Amino acid sequence: MKKFIRLLTILTVISALLTACVAAPATPETQTVVVTPAAAGNSANLKVGDILEIQIPTIPTEGYEWQAENLDTTILAQAGIAEYTADADPNSAGGIVTIRFTAVGAGNTNLTLIYASTAASAGLSLSKNTFGMAVEVTQP
C-alpha cells in the first residue's frame, strides 16, 4: 500500500509539473513600422499595440523641434520625446530625428508633424518643414 501511495504521489507531482510547462496561447507580437519621408506620400497600416517610428532627416535649428499637430490621441499616442541622432560623416550638417507613436485604438487618422519653434514668446513660428501621412489602425 505504501508503494501505491508513493507512486500516486510521484505521478501527481509529475502531472503538476507538466501542466505548469504547457505554454499559454501565443499572443500576437507587436511590431515596429519605420517610415521615412517619401516623395509619393506615406501611409501605414498598424494593429493596436504596434509602434510607428518616424525618421525625418533634419538639419537642427536652435529653438525648433518636430511636433505632432492635432494628434488624434484615441488612435495614436506619442511614445517619449523626439530623439536626434547626428550623422556620423564629419562633413554632414544634419542627422535623423526619430519620433515614435503607439497605436492605442482602432481607426483612421492623418498624422501631421511640423518643425516649429519651441519658444513660448515666439508664438507659433513655423518653418517650411512639415511631414504628413495617413495611418490606419486595426484590432489585432
Side-chain angles (χ1 to χ4, degrees):
M1 184 71 170
K2 285 185 177 181
K3 287 183 180 182
F4 178 73
I5 293 174
R6 182 178 284 171
L7 179 62
L8 187 58
T9 303
I10 291 172
L11 288 175
T12 303
V13 169
I14 290 173
S15 176
L17 289 174
L18 289 175
T19 303
C21 293
V22 173
T27 57
E29 289 188 31
T30 60
Q31 64 177 341
T32 299
V33 176
V34 178
V35 176
T36 58
N42 293 98
S43 64
N45 294 312
L46 308 170
K47 293 189 183 331
V48 172
D50 286 350
I51 304 296
L52 174 62
E53 182 176 291
I54 312 293
Q55 297 179 350
I56 305 175
T58 304
I59 297 176
T61 302
E62 188 173 334
Y64 282 75
E65 69 180 24
W66 286 101
Q67 304 169 24
E69 182 179 58
N70 300 322
L71 180 62
D72 186 343
T73 56
T74 63
I75 298 174
L76 293 174
Q78 187 166 342
I81 60 171
E83 299 172 3
Y84 176 75
T85 305
D87 191 327
D89 184 351
N91 296 321
S92 175
I96 301 289
V97 170
T98 302
I99 307 169
R100 292 176 186 86
F101 297 89
T102 303
V104 294
N108 295 309
T109 189
N110 290 316
L111 174 61
T112 302
L113 301 175
I114 58 173
Y115 196 59
S117 172
T118 58
S121 62
L124 187 58
S125 177
L126 302 179
S127 75
K128 64 181 178 186
N129 297 322
T130 61
F131 171 84
M133 66 178 293
V135 179
E136 179 182 6
V137 178
T138 58
Q139 292 293 334

